């Protein structure tokens, strides 16, 4: 295995540099004095930012982008062995390393790396924890899966031993990481194009937990099924968290929860039976109260002043594409959200129902054929929370069309459930329909992990 000497800068190329995680890692390497280049299929704001920093970005992935002087090529999970740059690197004898392995080697440079994992909520919780550490003056290095407005990027280069890392379970990426502490938010059926079933997923999370050394902390959601079986015999110090109104007891919890007219939650942060703070959030929904308790618990365990937690969580406005208010057009509020799993959609639409509006529109783009087919009935169930639903075609991502599933399957089931639902094959048709049918006071949410965000942004240009 190739080992990077982070104290000896070399030329490194990122295949797929425009992705949120890859661009952030490229920035972190650039900040350490490495000569960084990369390629992506399309221009984007992210790529523009990288170029402004002095990072060379090639558009289109071609063999000639791999120069002989390169010492390492890093690639995403979406890049396969038939990629022309991958092939060229091999021919030139340039070491190849996947993104997860690279991030794992980077984590080993920090004595206090914190991995935030879970099926849902990783980005938001990692962002909250990052803001708490920043507020406390702890100067963390950060690697997220989305842009955080506070530093205008998915990454931040700090100068301390603290490294906060969003840790994804897909393809067991997080098993290549080296955290000292972990937050586990939830464990549900997801990415079943890779995992066999929920037991396979639980097994991977157990292996991730086993990475915590003696003296490290595991902050884990106390409602996870058969939690004792998952945590038995771990070297980590185990701390549970949850919402007090579930009737269970936790080491850290939210009590006396209230919501304002924007569905922003406030609560008493409890350490055992002791209230240590009153937290007031500026993000919506019960799911974000839960996320914030996880971040607050980890911060408290690591000795961060609770005053920093109160201030950071109060001023935290969310990461990009997490119930992100994009703007208002003709009195219609447009929000964008990354939700693409039924549990995420339920949390977002439940929160949205409490947000000021007349009619709640959900413009949904399913993400991957396998997920759509597996959770078809669940998608119908959760999308029914919206007043009016518009379906775009499935965003294929890493998959090819199997020919036996489409957005029309969701539409038909929603129609059978007597829901008001529409389908259009192009974004242009969706935009035209929304401009004609949304009314002043309506709330319009574009939702999905693909490029559905473009619809709301296009509407705001009218």
């Amino acid at each position: 295995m190739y080992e990077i000497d982070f104290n000896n800068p070399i030329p490194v190329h990122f295949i797929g540099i425009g992705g949120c995680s890859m661009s952030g890692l490229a920035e972190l390497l650039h900040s350490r004095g490495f000569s960084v280049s990369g390629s992506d299929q399309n221009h984007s704001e992210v790529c523009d930012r990288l170029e402004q920093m002095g990072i060379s970005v090639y558009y289109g992935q071609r063999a000639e982008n791999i120069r002989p002087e390169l010492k390492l090529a890093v690639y995403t999970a979406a890049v396969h062995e038939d990629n022309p740059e991958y092939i060229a690197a091999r021919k030139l004898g340039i070491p190849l390393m996947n993104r997860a392995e690279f991030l794992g080697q980077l984590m080993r440079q920090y004595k206090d790396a914190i991995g935030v994992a879970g099926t849902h909520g990783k980005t938001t919780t990692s962002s909250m924890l990052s803001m708490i550490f920043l507020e406390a003056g702890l100067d963390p290095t950060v690697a997220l899966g989305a842009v955080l407005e506070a530093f205008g990027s998915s990454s931040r280069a700090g100068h301390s031993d603290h490294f906060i890392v969003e840790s994804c379970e897909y393809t067991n990426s997080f098993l290549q990481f080296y955290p000292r502490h972990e937050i586990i938010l939830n464990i549900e059926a997801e990415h079943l194009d890779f995992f066999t079933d929920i037991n396979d997923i639980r097994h991977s999370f157990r292996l991730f937990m086993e990475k915590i050394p003696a003296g490290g902390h595991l902050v884990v959601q106390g409602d996870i099924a058969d939690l004792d079986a998952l945590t038995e015999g771990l070297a980590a110090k185990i701390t549970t968290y949850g919402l007090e109104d579930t009737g269970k007891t936790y080491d850290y919890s939210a009590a006396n929860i209230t919501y304002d007219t924007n569905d922003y939650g406030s609560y008493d942060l409890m350490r055992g039976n002791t209230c240590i703070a009153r937290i007031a959030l500026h993000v919506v929904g019960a799911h974000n109260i839960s996320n914030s308790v996880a971040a607050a618990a980890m911060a408290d365990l690591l000795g961060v002043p609770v005053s920093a937690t109160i201030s950071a969580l109060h001023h935290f406005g969310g990461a990009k594409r997490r119930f992100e208010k994009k703007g208002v057009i003709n009195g219609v509020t447009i929000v964008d959200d990354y939700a693409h799993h039924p549990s995420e959609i339920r949390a977002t639409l439940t929160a949205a129902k409490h947000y000021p509006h007349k009619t709640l529109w959900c413009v949904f783009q399913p993400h991957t054929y396998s997920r759509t087919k597996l959770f078809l009935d669940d998608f119908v169930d959760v999308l029914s929370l919206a007043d009016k639903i518009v379906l775009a075609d499935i965003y294929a991502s890493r998959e090819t069309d199997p020919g036996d599933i489409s957005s029309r399957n969701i539409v038909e089931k929603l129609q059978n459930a007597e829901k008001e639902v529409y389908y259009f094959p192009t974004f242009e048709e969706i935009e035209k329909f929304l401009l004609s049918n949304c009314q002043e006071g309506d709330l319009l949410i574009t939702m999905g992990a693909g490029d559905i965000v473009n619809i709301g942004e296009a509407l705001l240009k009218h």
Side-chain angles (χ1 to χ4, degrees), residues 45-363:
E45 290 183 13
V46 170
C47 289
D48 288 343
R49 171 184 167 82
L50 294 174
E51 290 190 277
Q52 289 168 8
M53 296 175 64
I55 294 173
S56 298
V57 179
Y58 303 96
Y59 296 99
Q61 290 172 352
R62 305 178 183 88
E64 54 264 35
N65 296 338
I66 303 299
R67 307 174 312 282
E69 64 268 23
L70 290 171
K71 301 299 182 184
L72 175 67
V74 181
Y75 62 94
T76 69
V79 170
H80 303 294
E81 292 186 3
D82 59 354
N83 180 281
E85 295 187 13
Y86 188 102
I87 294 170
R90 268 197 161 172
K91 284 183 178 178
L92 290 170
I94 297 168
L96 283 149
M97 182 179 292
N98 67 45
R99 180 200 66 87
E101 184 183 340
F102 173 85
L103 182 49
Q105 288 198 23
L106 183 60
M107 287 180 78
R108 284 161 61 184
Q109 310 305 304
Y110 296 83
K111 295 178 182 177
D112 196 41
I114 305 169
V116 181
T119 317
H120 325 294
K122 295 182 291 291
T123 299
T124 297
T125 307
S126 302
S127 299
M128 287 175 167
L129 188 61
S130 299
M131 295 304 296
I132 292 170
F133 273 55
L134 283 170
E135 182 70 23
L138 295 175
D139 195 20
T141 297
V142 178
L144 306 174
V147 173
L148 186 56
E149 203 65 48
F151 36 86
S153 173
S154 61
S155 71
R156 177 186 187 274
H159 299 88
S160 70
D161 286 332
H162 304 294
F163 190 14
I164 298 168
V165 180
E166 180 175 340
S167 304
C168 183
E169 75 277 14
Y170 184 57
T171 67
N172 280 330
S173 291
F174 62 0
L175 297 187
Q176 299 188 68
F177 295 174
Y178 295 89
R180 177 169 174 77
H181 312 290
E182 293 177 3
I183 295 175
I184 305 292
L185 301 164
N186 36 61
I187 303 175
E188 297 182 21
E190 171 65 313
H191 299 306
L192 293 176
D193 58 328
F194 174 77
F195 293 108
T196 305
D197 52 26
I198 185 62
N199 290 325
D200 189 20
I201 296 169
R202 285 172 61 89
H203 175 67
S204 288
F205 272 90
R206 166 68 191 201
L207 293 177
F208 184 57
M209 295 176 193
E210 289 176 359
K211 287 182 161 289
I212 306 172
H217 290 283
L218 170 63
V219 173
V220 60
Q221 220 287 338
D223 298 328
I224 292 173
D226 297 319
L227 182 59
D228 288 345
L230 275 174
T231 58
E232 183 181 5
L234 291 175
K237 300 174 183 177
I238 300 166
T239 299
T240 61
Y241 77 93
L243 305 184
E244 195 175 78
D245 59 9
T246 63
K248 294 185 178 181
T249 57
Y250 311 92
D251 298 312
Y252 287 83
S253 61
N256 301 316
I257 298 170
T258 60
Y259 296 92
D260 67 12
T261 55
N262 289 314
D263 199 40
Y264 298 154
S266 296
Y267 63 91
D268 291 336
L269 176 62
M270 308 295 293
R271 185 200 296 134
N273 295 319
T274 303
C275 176
I276 60 173
R278 181 70 183 174
I279 303 293
L281 302 178
H282 276 79
V283 286
V284 303
H287 60 298
N288 277 323
I289 290 179
S290 182
N291 291 336
S292 69
V293 174
M298 179 60 79
D300 192 55
L301 289 168
L302 297 181
V304 179
V306 72
S307 57
T309 298
I310 295 169
S311 178
L313 292 178
H314 180 71
H315 291 103
F316 176 71
K320 289 282 187 182
R321 303 213 62 205
R322 273 63 179 179
F323 210 89
E324 179 188 3
K325 183 176 178 180
K326 304 294 289 188
V328 178
I329 179 172
N330 300 328
V332 179
T333 300
I334 297 177
V335 168
D336 181 63
D337 196 274
Y338 193 72
H340 55 283
H341 183 280
S343 296
E344 298 165 348
I345 296 168
R346 181 181 298 280
T348 298
L349 291 181
T350 299
K353 290 177 78 70
H354 298 286
Y355 195 86
H357 69 275
K358 291 181 180 178
T359 299
L360 174 58
W361 291 80
C362 179
V363 183

Side-chain angles (χ1 to χ4, degrees), residues 407-445:
S407 291
R408 292 183 184 275
N409 296 100
I410 301 177
V411 171
E412 290 169 5
K413 284 181 172 285
L414 284 167
Q415 288 172 336
N416 291 339
E418 299 184 344
K419 295 297 297 183
E420 187 172 342
V421 58
Y422 306 88
Y423 161 78
F424 300 96
T426 69
F427 280 9
E428 290 77 13
E429 291 171 278
I430 292 175
E431 291 160 18
K432 184 177 180 180
F433 173 79
L434 294 172
L435 282 170
S436 300
N437 290 275
C438 290
Q439 304 293 319
E440 182 177 351
D442 287 355
L443 174 61
L444 169 65
I445 302 181

